[in-house]
Each structure stands twice: as C-alpha cells, then as structure tokens.
Amino acid sequence: MLPQSQSHQSRQAFFDLSANRVHFLHLPEASNHCKRNCGSSHGWLVILDETPYVILLNPLTRAKIHLPRLFTFPNVVSFNYIEIGREYTLLSLGGDRYYRNLRQMRDSFIKKIVLSSSPGKDGGNFIAVAILNQTGDLAYCRNGDKGWSVIEGARSYCEDVIYNNRLFYAVDKGGAVAVCDVGGVGDLARVSVIQTPMQLGGDMQYLVSSGDELLLVTRFLGLEFGFEPDQPHLIYRTIRFKVFRLNWNGTQWERVRSLGDKMLFIGENSSLSLSASDFPGCVSDSIYYTDDYSEGNYDDVFGEHDSGIFSLCSGSIEPLPCYPRNLHCRLQWPPPIWVTPNPC
C-alpha cells in the first residue's frame, strides 16, 4: 500500500509487485491523512486516528472489526476529551503520571499490532498482540474482549512479534526470544524465554515464520547525506541484513547464507516469507523492506523513505519498482506497508 501522496482522495493506491502495476481501491477509511496504519496482518490493516478507536480493516472487502480502545490499555489511567492537548493520562515504568494528546497517541503509543489469524476465518477466534512504544510491553486481546492485558514477563521483547503454531514469538534487541502462550480463555499468559547468543551490531530485529523454521532478520542502518539545492540533510539508510535460523535443539542462531526460492517482506507489517516461484516478477533469495523506524526520514520537507530489495547472496540493494531512483516526489507520512490480499 503506497503513501498518501500517491493516492487520490478516497482511493488508496496499491502496487502489485508481480504485475508491476498500481491498483486503486475505494478505501476512504485508510486514505484520510488523519489516519495511521500501525500494522498489516493476514491481509487486514490496523487503523488508528485521533480517537480512541483501534480498527481492523480488510482493504478488499472493507469489512471492519473494532479492537478494544486505546484507553483500555493497562498503562492508560484515564481519557477525557475535555482535557484538550492532554486527553490521555498514562503511567510510566516508574509509576509517574504523564500526558499525551490525541495525535501523540495515534502516532507513537503503538508500534505494531500482529494477529494470530485472519479475523474472517475460524469464527473470528483471533488474538491480537500490540507492541507498546513507551514501555516496551506486549499487550494482547482476544476478539470480543473489552480491554487489553499485558503479557507479564515479556517486557523488552518489543523488537518484533510473529505468530506460529498457536504461539506468539517476540524478540529483543539482542536476539533473545520470548515464547508467549495467550491462547487459553480466562488463563494468564505463559511466557518462556529461549536464551540465544547475543546478535551484536544490528539496529533492528525481525522474526519471520518460514515453513517449519523461525528466522531472525537483523537490519543494519547507516547515515548518509541527501542533497537538495542548498539544503543538505542527513537520512537513515539500510545498508545490509543478516539472516539466522533458530536451531530448536541447541537454541542457537545459525547463519543463513541463502534463502533459496524464498523472499522475506519486513516493515510495519507482520513479517512474511513467500516463494518467489509463486509470484512472477519477484526476486528469490531477497528481502523486501520498507521504512518502519524513523519519522525523521519522512516527517520533513524531503519525505524520504528507506525501502528497497536486498539480495542476500550478493549484498546488493535495488529500489522497489514503485520507487525508481530518479523518482522526485514528496512522499508524505506514513510510509508504504506490505499487504497480502485476503478476501476473508
């Protein structure tokens, strides 16, 4: 799904990698500049705006499901529309109270929301897990819950979350993995930790479920100069990735030198692994990535996004076909996000 500047009013632009073309869908729920996408999972978008509502939206069918509202998170003490500019009162890790306005909650309270399954399947018995920016907590809810619950024991495992085989897996900055079982109705979440060797030097970590394997993708960033007439500026750029496979028996990360026919998709979406042979025009042994870390890249007049296609074999980076290198346009927040079409 492309940024707002490449969409038109109530229509939202989607770039099809396989067909190398742009499709427009009538989707006013996601096309408004006041909206923020904070996740894409099983083909559904997670939409926030300057209200307490958290909405799941299927861009193909326009079906909507409401998750518990923002003021039901355990670290939110109160919400009041009358307190203009400080509508939310929150608790810090140290127990101090602080305030956030409607826009701040929309933009920075939640990092990403990941779903266990498609809301349109299995009678809607899905679970949602949210990564919270301020505290590093993981919070979850089941469809139909009135509020969010914190996964005790999983704080700091807030780099990324993935669902696989009835369990959520979360990773911290060093590559340690917390296994979270939140499936039992009425039961407290159970957490166990897979202690793995530290992955040093990386800036971001992602988890990807690829067949029977759990992959760790480490992203390395660098600063570079961007130039406009009389306006040099610094922007972050991805310079390389490393991929590791979890050895379930030895709880070790093993370096992956080739993905074979696989390609990985990372960003604000729930991370994906797909076979390139199923999608003509796509490149195997590659990581397709978008910007999900730096508002400084796209919140200024230049509107730069850090996105591209990284070849695991050669280490080279190519631009996404929807963003050729000679494209000179202002890409407004938010950045692009991967979406897998799902009719249910």
Side-chain angles (χ1 to χ4, degrees):
M1 187 169 76
L2 299 180
Q4 301 295 344
S5 59
Q6 292 178 258
S7 302
H8 303 281
Q9 297 177 355
S10 64
R11 295 195 303 163
Q12 184 66 50
F14 292 81
F15 184 82
D16 184 340
L17 283 170
S18 188
N20 197 32
R21 58 173 294 187
V22 175
H23 302 272
F24 287 94
L25 297 180
H26 179 66
L27 204 64
E29 298 90 344
S31 301
N32 190 309
H33 286 279
C34 292
K35 309 286 187 180
R36 179 199 163 205
N37 306 309
C38 67
S40 167
S41 191
H42 297 278
W44 291 64
L45 298 168
V46 183
I47 306 292
L48 298 179
D49 58 16
E50 294 182 27
T51 71
Y53 291 101
V54 182
I55 297 173
L56 298 179
L57 172 68
N58 188 318
L60 285 186
T61 66
R62 292 183 63 189
K64 285 191 237 180
I65 293 176
H66 286 264
L67 296 180
R69 286 174 284 185
L70 291 178
F71 56 70
T72 66
F73 280 91
N75 61 323
V76 179
V77 177
S78 65
F79 169 76
N80 192 338
Y81 270 125
I82 298 176
E83 297 289 332
I84 298 174
R86 43 190 283 169
E87 288 86 354
Y88 291 87
T89 303
L90 296 92
L91 279 181
S92 69
L93 290 176
D96 298 322
R97 296 193 175 201
Y98 63 100
Y99 304 96
R100 289 291 181 266
N101 62 34
L102 300 174
R103 181 171 297 181
Q104 289 169 329
M105 287 293 286
R106 178 198 67 184
D107 293 347
S108 61
F109 181 68
I110 296 175
K111 176 180 178 181
K112 179 194 290 190
I113 291 180
V114 173
L115 307 178
S116 62
S117 61
S118 173
K121 294 181 179 179
D122 302 324
N125 294 320
F126 67 91
I127 301 170
V129 168
I131 303 174
L132 304 188
N133 275 319
Q134 276 85 1
T135 61
D137 281 313
L138 302 181
Y140 72 98
C141 70
R142 302 176 184 91
N143 187 24
D145 284 354
K146 300 300 182 182
W148 295 84
S149 302
V150 168
I151 302 178
E152 300 293 344
R155 177 172 290 159
S156 82
Y157 294 89
C158 54
E159 282 289 289
D160 196 18
V161 174
I162 198 73
Y163 185 80
N164 183 42
N165 196 24
R166 300 185 178 183
L167 297 169
F168 283 96
Y169 293 82
V171 65
D172 72 2
K173 203 74 172 176
V177 173
V179 185
C180 308
D181 183 356
V182 296
V185 177
D187 295 336
L188 294 176
R190 296 185 296 274
V191 177
S192 60
V193 176
I194 302 175
Q195 295 293 349
T196 55
M198 291 282 289
Q199 303 300 319
L200 301 176
D203 293 285
M204 301 180 70
Q205 308 282 9
Y206 301 85
L207 291 177
V208 187
S209 176
S210 182
D212 294 330
E213 297 180 332
L214 183 67
L215 302 180
L216 175 72
V217 179
T218 303
R219 185 173 186 169
F220 296 81
L221 306 175
L223 277 173
E224 69 176 40
F225 276 101
F227 292 95
E228 291 281 326
D230 303 319
Q231 296 186 72
H233 62 293
L234 282 172
I235 53 177
Y236 284 98
R237 283 280 183 260
T238 297
I239 55 177
R240 68 182 185 278
F241 290 92
K242 288 183 180 179
V243 179
F244 301 88
R245 173 191 300 112
L246 185 64
N247 179 329
W248 294 101
N249 294 326
T251 64
Q252 299 285 322
W253 290 116
E254 299 174 348
R255 182 77 180 272
V256 176
R257 302 289 180 177
S258 173
L259 295 169
D261 181 52
K262 297 294 185 181
M263 49 186 181
L264 310 182
F265 292 83
I266 63 171
E268 287 191 328
N269 58 296
S270 181
S271 303
L272 293 168
S273 171
L274 299 173
S275 295
S277 57
D278 293 335
F279 299 91
C282 293
V283 184
S284 62
D285 194 27
S286 296
I287 299 172
Y288 288 71
Y289 64 92
T290 58
D291 188 343
D292 64 331
Y293 60 87
S294 175
E295 290 186 17
N297 273 16
Y298 45 82
D299 205 25
D300 61 14
V301 295
F302 301 100
E304 298 279 357
H305 287 308
D306 178 22
S307 59
I309 308 170
F310 176 81
S311 169
L312 193 60
C313 176
S314 67
S316 63
I317 294 178
E318 297 295 329
L320 292 176
C322 47
Y323 297 128
R325 295 190 191 280
N326 60 356
L327 179 66
H328 297 290
C329 67
R330 297 293 180 260
L331 305 178
Q332 298 179 15
W333 182 91
I337 185 171
W338 301 114
V339 180
T340 51
N342 183 359
C344 60

